[in-house]
Amino acid sequence: MKIALIAHDRKKEVMVKLVTAYREILAQHELFATGTTGQKIQEATKLPVHRFNSGPLGGDQQIGAMISQDDLDLVIFLRDPLAAQPHEPDVTALIRLSDVYEIPLATNMGTAEILLRGLAAGFADFREIIHETDHRPLSF
C-alpha cells in the first residue's frame, strides 16, 4: 500500500515516534511524506520515503494530487489544531479529497495507531479491490 505521512511542526517528533514504533508494519509499504517530515523519518528509521515539498510550499497539494489520481491508500496527517497554519486551505482540501476518494485518514496519534494496527490485520484490503476495479470513488 502507499501511505502518506504528514505532520505539522509541533507534531513532527510525535510522527517520528509513531513511525519508529510501527516501523515493521510501515517497512512493508511504500511511504510518501512532505519535506521535513520525510527527512526526519528517514534519519530516525532509515526507511525509504519519497519526499515532496514541505506543506506550505505545495507538499500537501502534491499528496492531494496523488489522492485524486487514486494513487494513495492511507494518510496519516498529524495536525496541530492549536496553531494557525498559513496553508490551511491546502490542509482542508487534502482532508476533503481523502473523504471524496474514501482514503483512510488519521489526524491524531490515537487514530493513526488504530489505522496502522488495522493495516497489519488486513482491514485496509478493500483498497486492493478498488485498485482492481475502475479507480473511481465508491458510492453506496
Side-chain angles (χ1 to χ4, degrees):
M1 299 237 167
K2 294 180 181 181
I3 300 171
L5 305 167
I6 310 163
H8 284 152
D9 288 343
R10 294 195 301 196
K11 299 292 184 172
K12 291 188 189 314
E13 292 308 313
V14 175
M15 177 66 84
V16 168
K17 289 178 183 179
L18 177 76
V19 174
T20 300
Y22 290 94
R23 186 186 190 289
E24 296 306 313
I25 293 170
L26 291 167
Q28 300 172 40
H29 302 279
E30 194 172 351
L31 305 179
F32 298 82
T34 49
T36 308
T37 302
Q39 179 181 357
K40 288 180 180 287
I41 291 168
Q42 284 177 317
E43 289 170 357
T45 67
K46 307 300 184 229
L47 288 171
V49 179
H50 176 84
R51 290 173 47 212
F52 292 114
N53 293 335
S54 68
L57 297 178
D60 297 337
Q61 290 181 345
Q62 289 173 297
I63 289 174
M66 286 187 73
I67 291 170
S68 70
Q69 295 169 357
D70 198 33
D71 206 19
L72 266 179
D73 298 298
L74 189 141
V75 176
I76 297 175
F77 188 170
L78 300 183
R79 300 174 60 221
D80 184 353
L82 301 178
Q85 301 297 328
H87 61 293
E88 192 64 35
D90 299 337
V91 171
T92 302
L94 189 130
I95 291 168
R96 184 181 61 78
L97 284 170
S98 294
D99 287 341
V100 168
Y101 288 93
E102 306 290 342
I103 304 297
L105 167 71
T107 60
N108 60 64
M109 180 65 102
T111 308
E113 285 194 276
I114 290 170
L115 282 182
L116 290 174
R117 287 176 184 259
L119 180 66
F123 297 157
D125 290 349
F126 76 94
R127 292 293 304 153
E128 292 176 12
I129 294 167
I130 290 172
H131 288 297
E132 292 171 3
T133 60
D134 62 1
H135 299 280
R136 288 182 293 178
L138 295 173
S139 58
F140 297 96

